[in-house]
């Protein structure tokens, strides 16, 4: 579990990934950084970034996405932890 608090309820389940599919687990350090105007990076921007980069390897996704978050916030200083886990099923 990543970032689970004691008072949060969740459902346990199983999922079968098809070849090429992936699961991305992330902390709020990805979706909540602010820029100098006070705007949040937000999940919509995160999802749009992923859709714009469908052919990246998990390693490329991690590197490029963190670069994009840092560029958005216009700072090398991060105010929160950044956790990003990508599990991808091999194709073929």
């Amino acid at each position: 579990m990543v970032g689970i608090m004691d008072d949060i309820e969740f459902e346990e389940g199983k999922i079968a990934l098809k070849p090429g599919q992936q699961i991305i687990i992330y902390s709020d350090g990805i979706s909540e950084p602010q820029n100098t105007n006070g705007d949040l990076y937000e999940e919509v921007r995160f999802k749009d970034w992923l859709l714009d980069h469908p052919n990246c390897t998990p390693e490329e996704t991690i590197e490029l996405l963190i670069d994009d978050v840092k560029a958005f916030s216009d700072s090398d200083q991060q105010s929160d932890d950044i956790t990003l886990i990508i599990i991808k099923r091999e194709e073929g």
Side-chain angles (χ1 to χ4, degrees):
M1 290 185 241
V2 177
I4 300 295
M5 294 179 266
D6 290 338
D7 58 345
I8 301 292
E9 291 187 28
F10 62 95
E11 215 174 288
E12 190 173 324
K14 294 181 181 183
I15 185 168
L17 294 178
K18 295 177 184 171
Q21 286 186 321
Q22 61 187 4
I23 295 174
I24 300 176
I25 303 165
Y26 61 96
S27 68
D28 61 358
I30 293 288
S31 58
E32 293 183 355
Q34 291 185 343
N35 64 15
T36 54
N37 294 328
D39 301 319
L40 294 174
Y41 190 85
E42 295 186 335
E43 288 182 13
V44 171
R45 183 181 176 98
F46 176 41
K47 289 176 187 176
D48 287 345
W49 189 95
L50 292 170
L51 291 172
D52 288 343
H53 298 82
N55 298 317
C56 288
T57 66
E59 294 84 2
E60 291 168 335
T61 298
I62 290 169
E63 182 179 341
L64 295 172
L65 181 59
I66 290 173
D67 287 348
D68 192 60
V69 169
K70 287 180 179 179
F72 174 82
S73 64
D74 198 28
S75 173
D76 287 334
Q77 302 284 347
Q78 61 188 72
S79 61
D80 199 354
D81 69 290
I82 295 177
T83 302
L84 185 59
I85 300 168
I86 301 176
I87 302 166
K88 183 173 184 176
R89 181 171 174 187
E90 298 272 332
E91 294 192 46

